[in-house]
Amino acid sequence: MDALIDAHNRRINYLRISVTDRCNLRCQYCMPKEGVSQFGHSEILTYEEILRIAQLAVKKGINKVRITGGEPLVRKDAVQLINQLSRLQGIEDLSMTTNGILLAEFAPALIQAGLKRVNISMDSLLPEKYRQITRGGELARVWAGIEAARAVGISPIKINVVAIAGFNDLEILNFARLTMHDPFQIRFIEFMPIGSFSEWRPEQCLPSEEIKRRIETHHPLVPVNSSTNGHEGPARLFKFPEAVGEIGFISPISDHFCNTCNRLRLTADGKLKTCLFSDEEVDMKFLLRSGCHDEELAKKLSEAISTKPLRHGFTGSGIKRCHRPMVKIGG
Ligand code: SAM
Ligand code: SF4
């Protein structure tokens, strides 16, 4: 089968699979305070359906797979899915993004199942602030999850911090300093306007350059070549000269990485999305459930890739956002 190359000559080799739109937290930037109407059980793809798509995608050149959600660890038997995915010939990198709340419980089983890496979201180091942004989350459980992941040898442990002006900007330095003695990769992500519920305002988005400048006021940073640590991605990496860990900046707003975007997303309800910011979706579930052959599914996959836009819809004069909230896409 031919590789997945889009109309702009980008090779698509990274599939993010959302296994659920359910979550045990309600982060303010990810879902509205009243929550979201959840997909019914029959609306979400079964693990067999997910595996069928993943298998085809891998045959066509996908070699990186990330499991996400909602919160992936709230779906029953998520470990089993990891186990089956890890057996697919051709996946070189199998990872998960999690809020960490259930990680202490699942870390040993996840590593045994073949998970290679984990990204843990944690937007404040202060328990009360963390509770506020997540609408009820307990920070101590995330730390327990991080420790459990370290204890079983999951490496590297990447910690995602959505940087929001007026919320956690005073904690930037404290997050950065976590890398001094521990091998974390702290990744500051620019706050994105996703979902029609979002009251995102441009002034809430802290550009990566500003975050970096604030850190450098206190400690110098030196660049890290991301291709030498084996985990290329959109993060621009730096470190304190004497530190064990690294600091990453992910800048979808101030310095979009669309030119090198290699991603494809599969939502929990079986839609392929080729751009986080677009409402365009290709319905794989309908095809899967209509008894189609693999060839038809593979053709649909290639068609979806061919519609991948050159870049997202941010312009100087306005913002085009997709209507789905992040919790129903899979970040
Ligand atoms: N529940 C898991 C978690 O929180 O890690 C996985 C799903 S969550 C949607 C994936 C990532 O998207 C998280 O790191 C979260 O911080 C990020 N995210 C969600 N909404 C965002 C937004 N509006 N801007 C930037 N990042 C966002
Ligand atoms: Fe849940 Fe993750 Fe969204 Fe927070 S960011 S509400 S943890 S899906």
PDB file of all heavy atoms in Angstrom, residues 9 30 50 55 60 74 101 119 124 133 146 148-150 153 170 183 187 190 229 237 242 247 252 268 270 277 280 320:
ATOM      1  N   ASN A   9       2.430  17.502   0.369  1.00  0.00           N
ATOM      2  CA  ASN A   9       3.645  16.697   0.426  1.00  0.00           C
ATOM      3  C   ASN A   9       4.138  16.394   1.837  1.00  0.00           C
ATOM      4  O   ASN A   9       5.322  16.161   2.055  1.00  0.00           O
ATOM      5  CB  ASN A   9       4.753  17.394  -0.381  1.00  0.00           C
ATOM      6  CG  ASN A   9       5.562  16.358  -1.125  1.00  0.00           C
ATOM      7  OD1 ASN A   9       5.109  15.217  -1.311  1.00  0.00           O
ATOM      8  ND2 ASN A   9       6.767  16.722  -1.517  1.00  0.00           N
ATOM      9  N   CYS A  30     -11.071  23.090  28.437  1.00  0.00           N
ATOM     10  CA  CYS A  30     -11.293  21.909  27.591  1.00  0.00           C
ATOM     11  C   CYS A  30     -12.766  21.592  27.418  1.00  0.00           C
ATOM     12  O   CYS A  30     -13.181  21.071  26.384  1.00  0.00           O
ATOM     13  CB  CYS A  30     -10.565  20.726  28.223  1.00  0.00           C
ATOM     14  SG  CYS A  30     -10.705  19.195  27.330  1.00  0.00           S
ATOM     15  N   ILE A  50     -11.416   0.129  16.546  1.00  0.00           N
ATOM     16  CA  ILE A  50     -10.203   0.969  16.644  1.00  0.00           C
ATOM     17  C   ILE A  50      -9.000   0.203  16.096  1.00  0.00           C
ATOM     18  O   ILE A  50      -8.201   0.729  15.315  1.00  0.00           O
ATOM     19  CB  ILE A  50      -9.953   1.393  18.120  1.00  0.00           C
ATOM     20  CG1 ILE A  50     -11.019   2.393  18.560  1.00  0.00           C
ATOM     21  CG2 ILE A  50      -8.549   1.985  18.288  1.00  0.00           C
ATOM     22  CD1 ILE A  50     -10.932   2.792  20.033  1.00  0.00           C
ATOM     23  N   GLN A  55      -4.683  -0.845  12.394  1.00  0.00           N
ATOM     24  CA  GLN A  55      -3.937  -1.831  11.606  1.00  0.00           C
ATOM     25  C   GLN A  55      -3.744  -1.335  10.163  1.00  0.00           C
ATOM     26  O   GLN A  55      -2.645  -1.406   9.615  1.00  0.00           O
ATOM     27  CB  GLN A  55      -4.742  -3.115  11.579  1.00  0.00           C
ATOM     28  CG  GLN A  55      -3.939  -4.357  11.491  1.00  0.00           C
ATOM     29  CD  GLN A  55      -4.722  -5.534  12.054  1.00  0.00           C
ATOM     30  OE1 GLN A  55      -5.927  -5.421  12.336  1.00  0.00           O
ATOM     31  NE2 GLN A  55      -4.064  -6.647  12.240  1.00  0.00           N
ATOM     32  N   LYS A  60      -0.229   1.594   6.139  1.00  0.00           N
ATOM     33  CA  LYS A  60      -0.004   2.705   5.229  1.00  0.00           C
ATOM     34  C   LYS A  60       1.058   3.685   5.749  1.00  0.00           C
ATOM     35  O   LYS A  60       1.199   4.794   5.240  1.00  0.00           O
ATOM     36  CB  LYS A  60      -1.324   3.439   4.969  1.00  0.00           C
ATOM     37  CG  LYS A  60      -2.255   2.628   4.051  1.00  0.00           C
ATOM     38  CD  LYS A  60      -3.572   3.314   3.820  1.00  0.00           C
ATOM     39  CE  LYS A  60      -3.561   4.325   2.726  1.00  0.00           C
ATOM     40  NZ  LYS A  60      -3.436   3.779   1.380  1.00  0.00           N
ATOM     41  N   VAL A  74     -10.214   6.217  31.935  1.00  0.00           N
ATOM     42  CA  VAL A  74     -11.548   5.927  32.492  1.00  0.00           C
ATOM     43  C   VAL A  74     -12.292   4.913  31.623  1.00  0.00           C
ATOM     44  O   VAL A  74     -13.307   4.372  32.033  1.00  0.00           O
ATOM     45  CB  VAL A  74     -12.455   7.184  32.701  1.00  0.00           C
ATOM     46  CG1 VAL A  74     -11.818   8.184  33.637  1.00  0.00           C
ATOM     47  CG2 VAL A  74     -12.862   7.829  31.399  1.00  0.00           C
ATOM     48  N   ILE A 101      -4.716  11.174  36.976  1.00  0.00           N
ATOM     49  CA  ILE A 101      -5.490  10.880  38.192  1.00  0.00           C
ATOM     50  C   ILE A 101      -5.518   9.379  38.502  1.00  0.00           C
ATOM     51  O   ILE A 101      -5.442   8.975  39.659  1.00  0.00           O
ATOM     52  CB  ILE A 101      -6.930  11.447  38.045  1.00  0.00           C
ATOM     53  CG1 ILE A 101      -6.901  12.984  37.992  1.00  0.00           C
ATOM     54  CG2 ILE A 101      -7.862  10.940  39.147  1.00  0.00           C
ATOM     55  CD1 ILE A 101      -6.599  13.684  39.297  1.00  0.00           C
ATOM     56  N   ASN A 119       2.397  11.285  28.550  1.00  0.00           N
ATOM     57  CA  ASN A 119       2.351  12.732  28.769  1.00  0.00           C
ATOM     58  C   ASN A 119       1.280  12.972  29.827  1.00  0.00           C
ATOM     59  O   ASN A 119       0.170  12.465  29.689  1.00  0.00           O
ATOM     60  CB  ASN A 119       1.919  13.491  27.505  1.00  0.00           C
ATOM     61  CG  ASN A 119       2.997  13.532  26.455  1.00  0.00           C
ATOM     62  OD1 ASN A 119       3.899  12.699  26.464  1.00  0.00           O
ATOM     63  ND2 ASN A 119       2.908  14.478  25.548  1.00  0.00           N
ATOM     64  N   SER A 124      -1.099  23.317  37.337  1.00  0.00           N
ATOM     65  CA  SER A 124      -0.689  24.118  38.494  1.00  0.00           C
ATOM     66  C   SER A 124       0.017  23.205  39.483  1.00  0.00           C
ATOM     67  O   SER A 124      -0.262  22.004  39.556  1.00  0.00           O
ATOM     68  CB  SER A 124      -1.906  24.764  39.170  1.00  0.00           C
ATOM     69  OG  SER A 124      -1.481  25.466  40.321  1.00  0.00           O
ATOM     70  N   ILE A 133      -8.783  24.902  38.246  1.00  0.00           N
ATOM     71  CA  ILE A 133      -8.742  24.785  36.768  1.00  0.00           C
ATOM     72  C   ILE A 133      -9.388  23.479  36.308  1.00  0.00           C
ATOM     73  O   ILE A 133     -10.002  23.429  35.243  1.00  0.00           O
ATOM     74  CB  ILE A 133      -7.302  24.927  36.218  1.00  0.00           C
ATOM     75  CG1 ILE A 133      -7.286  25.074  34.690  1.00  0.00           C
ATOM     76  CG2 ILE A 133      -6.400  23.771  36.600  1.00  0.00           C
ATOM     77  CD1 ILE A 133      -7.479  26.435  34.186  1.00  0.00           C
ATOM     78  N   ILE A 146       2.603  10.338  38.679  1.00  0.00           N
ATOM     79  CA  ILE A 146       3.932  10.623  38.118  1.00  0.00           C
ATOM     80  C   ILE A 146       4.971   9.709  38.780  1.00  0.00           C
ATOM     81  O   ILE A 146       5.813   9.101  38.116  1.00  0.00           O
ATOM     82  CB  ILE A 146       4.282  12.124  38.313  1.00  0.00           C
ATOM     83  CG1 ILE A 146       3.363  12.992  37.436  1.00  0.00           C
ATOM     84  CG2 ILE A 146       5.757  12.389  38.011  1.00  0.00           C
ATOM     85  CD1 ILE A 146       3.482  14.489  37.684  1.00  0.00           C
ATOM     86  N   ALA A 148       4.458   6.860  40.235  1.00  0.00           N
ATOM     87  CA  ALA A 148       4.233   5.462  39.827  1.00  0.00           C
ATOM     88  C   ALA A 148       4.802   5.220  38.433  1.00  0.00           C
ATOM     89  O   ALA A 148       5.421   4.175  38.173  1.00  0.00           O
ATOM     90  CB  ALA A 148       2.741   5.154  39.862  1.00  0.00           C
ATOM     91  N   ALA A 149       4.616   6.180  37.548  1.00  0.00           N
ATOM     92  CA  ALA A 149       5.133   6.027  36.184  1.00  0.00           C
ATOM     93  C   ALA A 149       6.666   5.945  36.213  1.00  0.00           C
ATOM     94  O   ALA A 149       7.277   5.135  35.519  1.00  0.00           O
ATOM     95  CB  ALA A 149       4.657   7.194  35.313  1.00  0.00           C
ATOM     96  N   ARG A 150       7.263   6.775  37.047  1.00  0.00           N
ATOM     97  CA  ARG A 150       8.740   6.725  37.171  1.00  0.00           C
ATOM     98  C   ARG A 150       9.178   5.390  37.741  1.00  0.00           C
ATOM     99  O   ARG A 150      10.141   4.781  37.274  1.00  0.00           O
ATOM    100  CB  ARG A 150       9.240   7.833  38.105  1.00  0.00           C
ATOM    101  CG  ARG A 150       9.265   9.173  37.464  1.00  0.00           C
ATOM    102  CD  ARG A 150       9.831  10.186  38.414  1.00  0.00           C
ATOM    103  NE  ARG A 150      11.283  10.102  38.546  1.00  0.00           N
ATOM    104  CZ  ARG A 150      12.000  10.987  39.205  1.00  0.00           C
ATOM    105  NH1 ARG A 150      11.430  11.999  39.798  1.00  0.00           N
ATOM    106  NH2 ARG A 150      13.306  10.864  39.267  1.00  0.00           N
ATOM    107  N   GLY A 153       9.454   2.709  35.350  1.00  0.00           N
ATOM    108  CA  GLY A 153      10.431   2.933  34.283  1.00  0.00           C
ATOM    109  C   GLY A 153       9.871   3.567  33.023  1.00  0.00           C
ATOM    110  O   GLY A 153      10.506   3.523  31.972  1.00  0.00           O
ATOM    111  N   LEU A 170       2.413  32.889  37.098  1.00  0.00           N
ATOM    112  CA  LEU A 170       3.369  33.099  38.192  1.00  0.00           C
ATOM    113  C   LEU A 170       4.055  31.787  38.584  1.00  0.00           C
ATOM    114  O   LEU A 170       4.986  31.768  39.375  1.00  0.00           O
ATOM    115  CB  LEU A 170       2.659  33.704  39.411  1.00  0.00           C
ATOM    116  CG  LEU A 170       2.091  35.107  39.175  1.00  0.00           C
ATOM    117  CD1 LEU A 170       1.429  35.634  40.439  1.00  0.00           C
ATOM    118  CD2 LEU A 170       3.192  36.078  38.710  1.00  0.00           C
ATOM    119  N   PRO A 183      14.110  14.023  35.887  1.00  0.00           N
ATOM    120  CA  PRO A 183      14.230  13.925  34.426  1.00  0.00           C
ATOM    121  C   PRO A 183      12.905  14.168  33.694  1.00  0.00           C
ATOM    122  O   PRO A 183      12.555  13.442  32.781  1.00  0.00           O
ATOM    123  CB  PRO A 183      14.700  12.476  34.224  1.00  0.00           C
ATOM    124  CG  PRO A 183      14.122  11.742  35.384  1.00  0.00           C
ATOM    125  CD  PRO A 183      14.047  12.693  36.533  1.00  0.00           C
ATOM    126  N   ARG A 187       6.521  20.802  29.398  1.00  0.00           N
ATOM    127  CA  ARG A 187       6.168  21.381  28.100  1.00  0.00           C
ATOM    128  C   ARG A 187       5.088  22.437  28.281  1.00  0.00           C
ATOM    129  O   ARG A 187       3.967  22.129  28.701  1.00  0.00           O
ATOM    130  CB  ARG A 187       5.636  20.293  27.177  1.00  0.00           C
ATOM    131  CG  ARG A 187       6.670  19.213  26.865  1.00  0.00           C
ATOM    132  CD  ARG A 187       6.073  17.852  26.862  1.00  0.00           C
ATOM    133  NE  ARG A 187       4.909  17.744  26.020  1.00  0.00           N
ATOM    134  CZ  ARG A 187       4.948  17.412  24.723  1.00  0.00           C
ATOM    135  NH1 ARG A 187       6.096  17.147  24.131  1.00  0.00           N
ATOM    136  NH2 ARG A 187       3.855  17.315  24.028  1.00  0.00           N
ATOM    137  N   GLU A 190       0.797  26.657  24.404  1.00  0.00           N
ATOM    138  CA  GLU A 190      -0.016  27.868  24.284  1.00  0.00           C
ATOM    139  C   GLU A 190      -1.497  27.505  24.330  1.00  0.00           C
ATOM    140  O   GLU A 190      -1.930  26.523  23.712  1.00  0.00           O
ATOM    141  CB  GLU A 190       0.307  28.600  22.973  1.00  0.00           C
ATOM    142  CG  GLU A 190       1.666  29.271  23.003  1.00  0.00           C
ATOM    143  CD  GLU A 190       2.071  29.900  21.676  1.00  0.00           C
ATOM    144  OE1 GLU A 190       1.395  29.647  20.655  1.00  0.00           O
ATOM    145  OE2 GLU A 190       3.060  30.641  21.670  1.00  0.00           O
ATOM    146  N   ASN A 229      17.373  13.309  20.953  1.00  0.00           N
ATOM    147  CA  ASN A 229      16.815  12.535  22.064  1.00  0.00           C
ATOM    148  C   ASN A 229      15.748  11.563  21.582  1.00  0.00           C
ATOM    149  O   ASN A 229      15.038  10.963  22.377  1.00  0.00           O
ATOM    150  CB  ASN A 229      16.298  13.438  23.199  1.00  0.00           C
ATOM    151  CG  ASN A 229      15.091  14.244  22.770  1.00  0.00           C
ATOM    152  OD1 ASN A 229      14.586  14.080  21.662  1.00  0.00           O
ATOM    153  ND2 ASN A 229      14.628  15.119  23.635  1.00  0.00           N
ATOM    154  N   LEU A 237      12.881  22.413  22.232  1.00  0.00           N
ATOM    155  CA  LEU A 237      13.395  21.990  23.532  1.00  0.00           C
ATOM    156  C   LEU A 237      14.617  22.768  23.988  1.00  0.00           C
ATOM    157  O   LEU A 237      15.498  23.103  23.186  1.00  0.00           O
ATOM    158  CB  LEU A 237      13.755  20.498  23.476  1.00  0.00           C
ATOM    159  CG  LEU A 237      12.605  19.529  23.235  1.00  0.00           C
ATOM    160  CD1 LEU A 237      13.113  18.092  23.183  1.00  0.00           C
ATOM    161  CD2 LEU A 237      11.540  19.668  24.330  1.00  0.00           C
ATOM    162  N   GLU A 242      22.764  22.832  33.815  1.00  0.00           N
ATOM    163  CA  GLU A 242      23.096  21.819  34.836  1.00  0.00           C
ATOM    164  C   GLU A 242      21.932  20.866  35.142  1.00  0.00           C
ATOM    165  O   GLU A 242      22.046  20.010  36.012  1.00  0.00           O
ATOM    166  CB  GLU A 242      23.550  22.549  36.125  1.00  0.00           C
ATOM    167  CG  GLU A 242      22.465  23.300  36.874  1.00  0.00           C
ATOM    168  CD  GLU A 242      22.111  24.696  36.301  1.00  0.00           C
ATOM    169  OE1 GLU A 242      22.320  24.970  35.098  1.00  0.00           O
ATOM    170  OE2 GLU A 242      21.589  25.503  37.085  1.00  0.00           O
ATOM    171  N   ILE A 247      12.989  21.464  29.016  1.00  0.00           N
ATOM    172  CA  ILE A 247      11.830  22.354  28.971  1.00  0.00           C
ATOM    173  C   ILE A 247      11.425  22.512  27.510  1.00  0.00           C
ATOM    174  O   ILE A 247      12.275  22.791  26.653  1.00  0.00           O
ATOM    175  CB  ILE A 247      12.193  23.732  29.581  1.00  0.00           C
ATOM    176  CG1 ILE A 247      12.579  23.535  31.058  1.00  0.00           C
ATOM    177  CG2 ILE A 247      11.034  24.721  29.451  1.00  0.00           C
ATOM    178  CD1 ILE A 247      13.189  24.744  31.703  1.00  0.00           C
ATOM    179  N   PRO A 252       1.340  26.477  19.057  1.00  0.00           N
ATOM    180  CA  PRO A 252       0.388  26.374  17.948  1.00  0.00           C
ATOM    181  C   PRO A 252      -0.157  27.725  17.514  1.00  0.00           C
ATOM    182  O   PRO A 252      -0.621  27.882  16.379  1.00  0.00           O
ATOM    183  CB  PRO A 252      -0.741  25.506  18.529  1.00  0.00           C
ATOM    184  CG  PRO A 252      -0.624  25.628  20.006  1.00  0.00           C
ATOM    185  CD  PRO A 252       0.825  25.837  20.289  1.00  0.00           C
ATOM    186  N   ALA A 268     -13.405   9.527  19.341  1.00  0.00           N
ATOM    187  CA  ALA A 268     -14.016   8.348  19.974  1.00  0.00           C
ATOM    188  C   ALA A 268     -15.239   7.883  19.202  1.00  0.00           C
ATOM    189  O   ALA A 268     -15.553   6.690  19.185  1.00  0.00           O
ATOM    190  CB  ALA A 268     -14.383   8.684  21.420  1.00  0.00           C
ATOM    191  N   GLY A 270     -15.488   7.851  16.033  1.00  0.00           N
ATOM    192  CA  GLY A 270     -15.106   7.288  14.740  1.00  0.00           C
ATOM    193  C   GLY A 270     -14.964   8.266  13.582  1.00  0.00           C
ATOM    194  O   GLY A 270     -15.107   7.881  12.424  1.00  0.00           O
ATOM    195  N   PHE A 277      -8.150  22.353  14.242  1.00  0.00           N
ATOM    196  CA  PHE A 277      -8.935  23.586  14.239  1.00  0.00           C
ATOM    197  C   PHE A 277     -10.059  23.584  13.204  1.00  0.00           C
ATOM    198  O   PHE A 277     -10.749  24.578  13.035  1.00  0.00           O
ATOM    199  CB  PHE A 277      -8.014  24.787  13.974  1.00  0.00           C
ATOM    200  CG  PHE A 277      -7.004  24.967  15.065  1.00  0.00           C
ATOM    201  CD1 PHE A 277      -5.765  24.359  14.989  1.00  0.00           C
ATOM    202  CD2 PHE A 277      -7.294  25.720  16.192  1.00  0.00           C
ATOM    203  CE1 PHE A 277      -4.831  24.500  15.993  1.00  0.00           C
ATOM    204  CE2 PHE A 277      -6.381  25.867  17.200  1.00  0.00           C
ATOM    205  CZ  PHE A 277      -5.140  25.257  17.106  1.00  0.00           C
ATOM    206  N   GLU A 280     -13.949  19.924   9.537  1.00  0.00           N
ATOM    207  CA  GLU A 280     -14.002  18.835   8.540  1.00  0.00           C
ATOM    208  C   GLU A 280     -13.747  17.498   9.218  1.00  0.00           C
ATOM    209  O   GLU A 280     -12.785  17.353   9.979  1.00  0.00           O
ATOM    210  CB  GLU A 280     -12.906  19.028   7.481  1.00  0.00           C
ATOM    211  CG  GLU A 280     -13.056  20.254   6.603  1.00  0.00           C
ATOM    212  CD  GLU A 280     -14.257  20.149   5.674  1.00  0.00           C
ATOM    213  OE1 GLU A 280     -14.509  19.035   5.176  1.00  0.00           O
ATOM    214  OE2 GLU A 280     -14.935  21.170   5.484  1.00  0.00           O
ATOM    215  N   LYS A 320     -10.342  31.063  13.293  1.00  0.00           N
ATOM    216  CA  LYS A 320     -11.324  30.053  12.917  1.00  0.00           C
ATOM    217  C   LYS A 320     -11.110  28.891  13.879  1.00  0.00           C
ATOM    218  O   LYS A 320     -10.008  28.393  14.026  1.00  0.00           O
ATOM    219  CB  LYS A 320     -11.064  29.619  11.473  1.00  0.00           C
ATOM    220  CG  LYS A 320     -12.106  28.661  10.955  1.00  0.00           C
ATOM    221  CD  LYS A 320     -11.856  28.358   9.483  1.00  0.00           C
ATOM    222  CE  LYS A 320     -12.799  27.289   8.979  1.00  0.00           C
ATOM    223  NZ  LYS A 320     -12.713  26.047   9.753  1.00  0.00           N
TER     224      LYS A 320
END
